[in-house]
Every structure is written in structure tokens, then in C-alpha cells.
Amino acid sequence: MSDSDSFGLQLAKYTNAAALAILVYDYFVTLHSEVQWTCGRKWGIVRTTFTVSRYVPFAGAVMTLYSAVKTWGTQNCLPFNDAVSGMHFLGIIASEGLLIARIYGFSGNNNTCLIVLLSFSSVILAMAVILSAAPMNLGISRVSPPCVLEGARSSALPYGLLLFFEIVLMSITAFLRYRYYLGSHSTLMRSIYRDGLLYMFCIMMVSAANVLVIAALPPSFSDMLIIPQIVVHSVLASRILFSLPVNKVPVFPTYRSTPSTEMLSCTHEIDAMSGDGETVSGADRNQV
């Protein structure tokens, strides 16, 4: 192993360890918000998805670092690495599910929008799983040992799909903003729109960085951002809920829920998917 390979592998370990430290720090910083938000709230789709996106990345990150520092010798590490990949996929899927729920609420609980989002995300997920399980041969002669923290060039493709998925979600959010909330004076809805775009933009940047690192740098650097990717998803997915007022009522407000004065007082909110609240209909869209 050359000095460049050793440096790349060591840098990847340090970067991933630092990302895990950030995840742990963020967890304790936001633990109070989590207790406030979950206390007394019924289990539903949104809360379950939030819990998965919040805690599965811990398991994935720890397992990734364990696999990186362990000396496998003649042991078969492939089943363990497959389990690690599954943890990463599950955490990212749950985080994206919260973004979809946010957009669904932003659309006014439009079922057509939900069907389109779920169908599109299912296609992207299927393509990402296929590319990860059966990586393409990109003509790279160098083959790394399977038990080294190092991926193939083709592992950039799933991250490229994730980047494309985030671009589509941002575009849908911008379209809904133009269609339903143009000229809105609601501070709450403007905050939801601004934060949603910010979260998706941050995820896009990490995904783009992953694609560039895997495609342009030596293979020993390829897994340098594998844990930062799931950490960004987990941290931002948590803030999707923590950034909203805490009040034991549904989560995602819509233009159909309440007049702007009630929304600003935060006494009524709409949960797009959890089903543990009632929609207050009849509000004029222009009032939001």
C-alpha cells in the first residue's frame, strides 16, 4: 500500500470519526427539543419515521467505524458490510421520508402530490439499491480488498441519484410556494419554506461532495464522507420537527389549515401524515 493510499484511508477514518462526534454532540444539544416534541404524542408514521432517522444513523456510524478499524484477517466481512449499508440506506430513507411529509403538508395534503412523490422516490430507491448491490464495471483495473474502508468508483452513482432526488424535491417545493403562498405574509409558512430549501440544499452539497470525492480522488478517499452523509440527513431531519413550535398537536401546517393569525399563534397545525390531528378547512388561501 502506497503512502497516498495510507493517507487516504487514515483521512477517511478521521473524517468519519469526526462526523460521529458531531452526531453525538447534536443529539445531546437537541435532546431537550426531542423530549418536548415526543412527550405525549401518539405514535404515527411521522413519529416512527423521525425515530428511525434519529437513531439508526448512530448504529450505522458505529458499525462503519468498527469495520474500518477492525483487523478482519481471514474472516468474511461482507455480511457485516452489507448490514452497515442497510443501516445507511434505512437512515437516509427515513430522513427523506420526513422531507416528503413536509412537502405533502406544504401542498395542502394533496393526495396527487403524495402519490407522485412516493412513486418517484420508490423508483429512485430501487435504482440506488440495484446500483449498490450490483455495481457497474467502470473499467477500473484496481480492485481493493473487500474489508478496507474503500469503495468502488461506481458507488458515486447512488449519491448522484440522491442529488437528483433532492433537486426534484427543491423544485417541487419552489413550485408549491409559487402556486399557493406567493405574497403570503405568514411568518410560519415562510419559515417552513425557507428551512425546507436550506435543509435540501445542505443535503445536496454533501451528496455532490460525495460524488466528486469518489469520482475524482484516489479510491482510498472514496468513503471519506460516508458517515457525514447520514449525519447531515439525521441532523437536518430532526430539525424539520424541532424548528416548529412544540404543542402536542399535529406537525405540518398547510394553506388549508388556519388563518394566518391562528398559525402565527401556533394553536393549530396540520400533520400531513401522522393522522393524529384534524384539518381545519375553509380558510382562504390568500390569508396564509
Side-chain angles (χ1 to χ4, degrees), residues 144-221:
S144 302
C147 298
V148 175
L149 188 65
E150 185 175 313
R153 295 287 192 193
S154 58
S155 60
L157 298 177
Y159 291 115
L161 285 174
L162 181 60
L163 176 61
F164 173 67
F165 183 71
E166 294 299 332
I167 292 174
V168 172
L169 291 187
M170 286 188 67
S171 301
I172 293 175
T173 303
F175 169 76
L176 294 174
R177 170 70 172 84
Y178 176 79
R179 181 174 182 181
Y180 295 129
Y181 305 102
L182 189 63
S184 169
H185 299 291
S186 169
T187 304
L188 179 59
M189 299 312 295
R190 285 202 301 267
S191 175
I192 290 174
Y193 173 73
R194 182 185 63 249
D195 292 347
L197 289 185
L198 176 62
Y199 299 156
M200 286 181 276
F201 178 78
C202 291
I203 294 174
M204 282 175 52
M205 290 299 98
V206 177
S207 300
N210 248 317
V211 172
L212 292 175
V213 167
I214 296 172
L217 296 183
S220 58
F221 293 85

Side-chain angles (χ1 to χ4, degrees), residues 8 24 29 37 50 57 83 87 93 97 120 154 176 187 210 222 224 229 234 237 252 255 288:
V24 173
V29 167
W37 187 82
F50 160 75
M87 288 290 184
I93 290 170
F120 177 67
S154 58
L176 294 174
T187 304
N210 248 317
S222 59
M224 186 171 66
Q229 182 80 55
S234 177
F252 297 106
Y255 66 80
V288 179

Side-chain angles (χ1 to χ4, degrees), residues 46-74:
V46 171
R47 182 175 176 181
T48 302
T49 305
F50 160 75
T51 302
V52 173
S53 69
R54 177 79 160 166
Y55 290 98
V56 166
F58 282 98
V62 171
M63 292 170 68
T64 299
L65 289 178
Y66 172 78
S67 178
V69 301
K70 177 179 172 58
T71 302
W72 290 94
T74 59

Side-chain angles (χ1 to χ4, degrees), residues 15-157:
T15 303
N16 287 300
L20 176 57
I22 292 173
L23 182 62
V24 173
Y25 172 78
D26 178 78
Y27 175 78
F28 285 106
V29 167
T30 58
L31 182 59
H32 178 67
S33 297
E34 179 181 357
V35 172
Q36 283 187 317
W37 187 82
T38 58
C39 182
R41 188 179 295 274
K42 295 179 181 179
W43 283 92
I45 295 177
V46 171
R47 182 175 176 181
T48 302
T49 305
F50 160 75
T51 302
V52 173
S53 69
R54 177 79 160 166
Y55 290 98
V56 166
F58 282 98
V62 171
M63 292 170 68
T64 299
L65 289 178
Y66 172 78
S67 178
V69 301
K70 177 179 172 58
T71 302
W72 290 94
T74 59
Q75 292 180 283
N76 182 14
C77 66
L78 293 181
F80 186 84
N81 288 346
D82 289 340
V84 172
S85 298
M87 288 290 184
H88 290 188
F89 265 99
L90 185 59
I92 291 176
I93 290 170
S95 300
E96 296 295 339
L98 287 179
L99 287 175
I100 291 174
R102 189 187 187 100
I103 295 174
Y104 175 53
F106 200 64
S107 71
N109 296 352
N110 187 303
N111 290 331
T112 301
C113 179
L114 178 62
I115 292 173
V116 171
L117 287 171
L118 292 179
S119 300
F120 177 67
S121 60
S122 298
V123 172
I124 294 295
L125 174 61
M127 294 175 62
V129 170
I130 291 173
L131 291 174
S132 298
M136 299 171 60
N137 183 3
L138 300 182
I140 309 253
S141 58
R142 187 177 186 276
V143 178
S144 302
C147 298
V148 175
L149 188 65
E150 185 175 313
R153 295 287 192 193
S154 58
S155 60
L157 298 177

Side-chain angles (χ1 to χ4, degrees), residues 10-20 224-225 227-228:
Q10 199 66 28
L11 180 62
K13 293 177 184 178
Y14 289 151
T15 303
N16 287 300
L20 176 57
M224 186 171 66
L225 298 178
I227 293 181

